[in-house]
Amino acid sequence: MKKGEARREQILRVAEALFYANGYEQTSVQDILDEIGISKGGFYHHFESKLDLLDAICQQRAEESARVAREAADSVRGDPPAELNALLSSGGFLQADALDYISLLLRVAWREDGALMREKLKQRTLTLLKPAMDEIIAEGVQTGCFTLPRPSLAGSLILRLSAQFTDEAAEILAGPGDPPSKLSDIYAKLELYRHTVERMLNAPYGSITLYDMKHLAKVCEGLA
């Protein structure tokens, strides 16, 4: 790794740790500079602003999440519904082992002025996961698990539905209420999205889960 690339990675690592420890709003660019021991010129050589820095952190996270999702789908290769469920369940940012990151995004991206960041996250996730989703749908059609017109268009639509569910789940998690009531609201929405995708693919009843509710329960409890 070149010196400039190493410095950029160092800024990302330190900034993410400070965001988690102190909060995004409470962490200034100067705090990051002091922690690393570099000048403002050294920072702005790599990032235009603190928001640009957070954007880069999200990009790294999205790429890592997509890699994990593809590996999860590959682990159940030969069962298209299971591959689809694994891809979506592992490919979103609502992961129980990333509660600090989820909390950070809920505070920053899911507020009124965070709409642009939310859209960037959605688009990155769609771009990274679409090839794998298209492959799964094609396999499902070939094996008779899925029956639908224009299967080449279905992957993007399913990923956008998944992103919309994530949006709504995040809004619930960021809002008031206790974990049981939040989980109940999330489950109600998940059932509707699950049913919609299952009917779209004409998949066997109950074969599409999208997300593991036990997993989402851990996220609710962990954030509480």
Side-chain angles (χ1 to χ4, degrees):
M1 183 181 293
K2 296 180 180 179
K3 184 177 180 180
E5 293 174 349
R7 177 64 78 190
R8 186 178 188 276
E9 288 300 312
Q10 182 187 26
I11 294 172
L12 286 170
R13 290 195 307 271
V14 170
E16 188 170 9
L18 289 175
F19 290 163
Y20 293 156
N22 306 325
Y24 175 79
E25 297 86 353
Q26 287 71 39
T27 301
S28 67
V29 170
Q30 190 60 52
D31 291 331
I32 299 168
L33 301 182
D34 291 343
E35 184 72 18
I36 301 174
I38 62 174
S39 66
K40 286 187 177 181
F43 176 88
Y44 289 111
H45 174 73
H46 297 286
F47 304 100
E48 295 180 359
S49 64
K50 188 173 72 167
L51 190 59
D52 182 43
L53 173 59
L54 180 61
D55 193 53
I57 292 171
C58 292
Q59 172 69 19
Q60 280 193 338
R61 287 284 188 165
E63 291 172 354
E64 174 64 16
S65 180
R67 181 188 62 77
V68 171
R70 289 191 295 266
E71 290 177 354
D74 287 342
S75 71
V76 289
R77 182 66 65 188
D79 184 347
E83 291 175 40
L84 186 149
N85 291 328
L87 187 78
L88 292 180
S89 183
S90 303
F93 82 92
L94 296 175
Q95 303 299 321
D97 61 350
L99 294 178
D100 284 338
Y101 178 63
I102 296 172
S103 180
L104 174 63
L105 285 188
L106 292 180
R107 294 197 306 273
V108 177
W110 269 266
R111 64 184 190 187
E112 187 175 350
D113 59 352
L116 178 60
M117 178 165 290
R118 290 199 302 272
E119 290 307 310
K120 285 183 178 181
L121 285 170
K122 288 181 192 177
Q123 190 57 48
R124 283 179 184 146
T125 300
L126 189 151
T127 300
L128 290 167
L129 293 183
K130 185 178 182 300
M133 178 63 76
D134 288 344
E135 184 179 339
I136 291 169
I137 292 174
E139 180 187 359
V141 171
Q142 185 177 12
T143 59
C145 294
F146 305 148
T147 306
L148 70 159
R150 298 184 180 276
S152 63
L153 303 179
S156 292
L157 183 54
I158 292 173
L159 287 170
R160 291 185 186 282
L161 285 171
S162 175
Q164 181 62 29
F165 166 75
T166 299
D167 242 1
E168 297 187 16
E171 288 176 3
I172 292 171
L173 290 171
D178 55 70
S181 63
K182 288 183 177 183
L183 192 61
S184 178
D185 290 344
I186 291 173
Y187 178 73
K189 291 181 180 293
L190 177 60
E191 272 296 282
L192 180 59
Y193 281 100
R194 184 204 66 76
H195 178 73
T196 300
V197 173
E198 199 169 82
R199 291 293 297 273
M200 182 194 306
L201 297 173
N202 197 23
Y205 179 78
S207 64
I208 303 300
T209 58
L210 301 185
Y211 290 88
D212 184 339
M213 280 306 297
K214 291 182 179 179
H215 172 86
L216 291 176
K218 289 181 180 180
V219 172
C220 282
E221 293 168 1
L223 292 176

